[in-house]
Amino acid sequence: MKLPAIDVLRGVAALGVAWFHSRVDLWVGFKAIHANPAAYSRLDWLFSFLSLPASQLGGMVMLFFVLSGFCIHLPVASKNLSPNWSAYAVRRILRIYPAYFVALALCFIGTLIFLKGLNSASGEVTMYVSTAAMLQNWMYGGNQIGLNPSLWSIPIEVEFYLVYPLLLLLWRRQGFNSALLFTLFCTLIGGALFYLGYAHSMVTFFKYALIWNSGAWLAEAYANGKLPRWTHWHYIVMVATVVLTMLAGLAGVNHFYLHYGWALFSFLLLLWVLGAGSHFFVESRWWMPPLEFAGTVSYSLYLLHFPLFKLAGSAWFHIYGSKPESFLLPTLATVLVLPFAWIFYRMFELPTHELGRQWGAAIQKRSSAESQSQ
């Protein structure tokens, strides 16, 4: 079942995260401009205020998690049959890992050629190896390779793929309450890790279990035609949640808490899109094709944007001796990275994604034939 609105939301999330990260290497920063406004033009000062909302959009990763839970569970929602787990594993591996590995290899090459090489031959090579195995969150407590700090969320996504069969088993055999208790238990572990001061609290599935599983719950309700009725109170809560979360972020509240605010907003946004807001997401709308395109290449965009920003920022600093002063440049860079994402998507992501679908379908067909012959 293809829902164009899902691609639109993916596109919005990917562009939001990219805009958030564009500030790191491609802009002098809000504080620098406002600490010494006379050193910058009036336009640079005015455009700097755009960075205030952009600086909070890292939380849009929570929308990715909610959408992932929704999309993974939707094919089997409201059905009593369990997925073919062999086909599921093949599809998930080929959907995520090949493009991830290629992006990691490109980062390694980019570091050696365009930057100053590896800072510590043994240490950074070890980090690349652990990242290739998707173990960096556990081994390095959330630290990532220097050229691509945004890779932290991909291993968490894979952990959800591994935990999902257990969640579905509990849901089907013991009921929704058992699955909810399991989810809350995982969330409590994440909270305990945070309060005990472990860096892993921000980079393992424990913290995000409730967020991802909320998407699966929406898929179940959507498939059964039991979505909650949208009211004006939902609008109020949704808008208030995102505004208050962004204000809290500007005030310096820890991201551990902010992520739950973004998660509630993401949950309500998807609920609105599936129900009361569905009529907005039709192909005749002028803004649908560009956002659908961004959603289609969102994974490639997520994998590539930070390395491209860092390399561009390094080149700019080498030429001009400072970071760009106008916030329009990182904003423009957020859009200009899309063609690179499309090329990467066509070369690496799409072929392996299609291969995963084909192999998964073949495995499922063979399993069905064997079942019928017995």
Side-chain angles (χ1 to χ4, degrees):
M1 181 188 303
K2 180 172 175 57
L3 298 172
I6 299 300
D7 277 337
V8 169
L9 292 183
R10 284 199 188 104
V12 169
L15 290 170
V17 171
W19 199 27
F20 167 74
H21 286 148
S22 69
R23 304 167 304 114
V24 177
D25 296 281
L26 289 170
W27 189 47
V28 294
F30 184 87
K31 291 182 179 179
I33 290 177
H34 287 262
N36 187 17
Y40 302 91
S41 73
R42 185 66 175 174
L43 280 177
D44 291 343
W45 183 84
L46 287 172
F47 285 131
S48 71
F49 287 95
L50 282 174
S51 72
L52 294 180
S55 69
Q56 300 307 306
L57 294 182
M60 294 293 279
V61 173
M62 301 306 107
L63 180 54
F64 277 128
F65 286 157
V66 173
L67 290 173
S68 175
F70 178 85
C71 293
I72 292 299
H73 183 60
L74 185 60
V76 298
S78 78
K79 300 174 184 177
N80 292 323
L81 295 176
S82 294
N84 182 302
W85 293 117
S86 296
Y88 167 84
V90 166
R91 286 195 298 266
R92 291 299 93 205
I93 290 171
L94 290 177
R95 177 70 181 91
I96 290 292
Y97 193 75
Y100 173 89
F101 184 81
V102 171
L104 184 63
L106 291 175
C107 287
F108 186 81
I109 294 169
T111 299
L112 291 177
I113 296 177
F114 298 107
L115 301 182
K116 295 181 180 179
L118 300 177
N119 296 326
S120 170
S122 59
E124 196 154 357
V125 168
T126 301
M127 178 170 278
Y128 268 94
V129 172
S130 66
T131 303
M134 293 193 177
L135 296 174
Q136 72 271 27
N137 288 346
W138 290 97
M139 294 180 64
Y140 293 97
N143 292 320
Q144 308 295 317
I145 59 171
L147 198 55
N148 203 343
S150 60
L151 292 182
W152 66 273
S153 66
I154 310 301
I156 294 174
E157 186 68 35
V158 172
E159 289 172 13
F160 284 128
Y161 295 161
L162 294 173
V163 173
Y164 174 66
L166 176 58
L167 175 70
L168 187 61
L169 179 68
L170 287 171
W171 202 339
R172 292 279 172 79
R173 295 192 178 181
Q174 303 298 325
F176 172 77
N177 288 339
S178 295
L180 178 61
L181 285 174
F182 170 74
T183 301
L184 293 176
F185 177 70
C186 291
T187 304
L188 286 174
I189 292 177
L193 289 172
F194 174 71
Y195 283 110
L196 291 173
Y198 289 98
H200 303 83
S201 63
M202 296 288 286
V203 288
T204 66
F205 81 97
F206 290 113
K207 179 199 168 176
Y208 304 98
L210 185 62
I211 298 169
W212 195 92
N213 292 354
S214 71
W217 181 85
L218 277 177
E220 188 77 14
Y222 177 75
N224 284 295
K226 295 182 179 179
L227 285 174
R229 186 176 66 86
W230 187 267
T231 69
H232 67 281
W233 287 109
H234 289 92
Y235 278 118
I236 294 171
V237 173
M238 183 173 70
V239 173
T241 297
V242 71
V243 170
L244 291 175
T245 301
M246 294 179 81
L247 290 175
L250 291 171
V253 173
N254 192 289
H255 282 87
F256 184 90
Y257 305 107
L258 295 178
H259 283 167
Y260 289 111
W262 280 106
L264 177 58
F265 166 72
S266 300
F267 177 86
L268 291 172
L269 179 62
L270 181 55
L271 175 61
W272 174 75
V273 165
L274 295 172
S278 59
H279 63 282
F280 285 99
F281 297 89
V282 293
E283 296 295 341
S284 59
R285 307 268 181 182
W286 66 267
W287 45 265
M288 281 286 289
L291 287 179
E292 278 189 275
F293 169 77
T296 298
V297 302
S298 59
Y299 183 46
S300 294
L301 175 61
Y302 189 83
L303 291 173
L304 289 186
H305 73 276
F306 223 143
L308 290 175
F309 291 159
K310 282 190 168 296
L311 291 173
S314 177
W316 184 283
F317 192 88
H318 179 75
I319 295 170
Y320 297 104
S322 63
K323 291 183 177 181
E325 297 177 355
S326 174
F327 190 68
L328 288 182
L329 194 135
T331 302
L332 180 62
T334 302
V335 177
L336 292 180
V337 78
L338 283 168
F340 294 94
W342 180 81
I343 293 170
F344 187 89
Y345 169 79
R346 295 290 299 181
M347 290 182 64
F348 303 110
E349 182 187 348
L350 182 60
T352 55
H353 191 187
E354 292 294 337
L355 185 63
R357 286 176 176 172
Q358 293 170 12
W359 285 5
I363 292 171
Q364 201 150 0
K365 185 177 181 180
R366 185 169 62 250
S367 297
S368 298
E370 291 174 354
S371 299
Q372 292 175 1
S373 64
Q374 291 177 355

